[in-house]
Amino acid sequence: MPPSPKPSPALRRRQRVHDAVRELMAEQGFRISMDAVAARAGCSKQTLYSYFGSKQELMRSVMQEHLDMATARLDNQHGDLRTALLAFAMEHLQRLSEPHVIVTCQLLSAEAALFPEEARTLYRDSCDTLQQRLAEWLEQAMRRGQLRHDDPHCASELLLGMIVGLDFERQRFAVPHRDTDAARGHWTEFAVDAFLRAFAPDARALSAASPVAFLSPVPKS
């Protein structure tokens, strides 16, 4: 296999800027400034503005990169629904377990009331966009007959909640959590398989099922 081409100087510069933003958000939260990013990334503030235009666009660029990486597992899988969802789920849990992510989320949550507009924008460009991308992917699976037809937006929110469970809250409160790939892998299989049983193409309509019947495995025909 030929070696991967080296990233261009522009791409390396962009990556340094993105890395600087992530580091500074874990330290400063919403108070992050273009001056601080420029200093951390080793470039001028003018360079930042020429590349990104504004602080808001810079933050959006960082979120876009994160979302592209988070959903790449879905895009790279063809036909095998379970394999694609397991890969996505594992990637999502691994990223949420990165130390700087939990520190950043703790800080941003504490500051959200002081920076409401910034908090809403960050939520829209991260959580909301991730859910929308997953909903679009699930909708395509529904159209192919791989999942039963239902509201893909609700299904995506349900799946994300099942994947994360309470583990992110455990990390926020510094109590024991699933801190190994083996533990995360066991949970992702449980969550994804439960989701696929609930949305199997031959699953009974939720409106016609009792709560107990809906939680039970769908009988094989």
Side-chain angles (χ1 to χ4, degrees), residues 4-12:
S4 301
K6 292 184 178 180
S8 66
L11 188 59
R12 290 197 299 270

Side-chain angles (χ1 to χ4, degrees), residues 134-199:
L134 182 58
E136 292 170 357
W137 192 87
L138 292 174
E139 184 175 22
Q140 291 299 317
M142 292 174 185
R143 290 178 177 175
R144 291 192 297 268
Q146 293 175 296
L147 297 172
R148 69 175 170 84
H149 285 276
D150 211 317
D151 186 329
H153 198 73
C154 290
S156 66
E157 182 174 352
L158 178 63
L159 178 56
L160 287 170
M162 294 172 73
I163 290 171
V164 178
L166 292 176
D167 213 48
F168 195 62
E169 297 304 308
R170 295 188 185 103
Q171 293 182 69
R172 288 182 61 198
F173 290 96
V175 299
H177 62 280
R178 288 183 281 272
D179 58 353
T180 67
D181 282 347
R184 286 188 285 265
H186 177 75
W187 177 257
T188 57
E189 288 192 8
F190 180 84
V192 167
D193 287 342
F195 177 83
L196 291 176
R197 285 196 298 271
F199 285 87

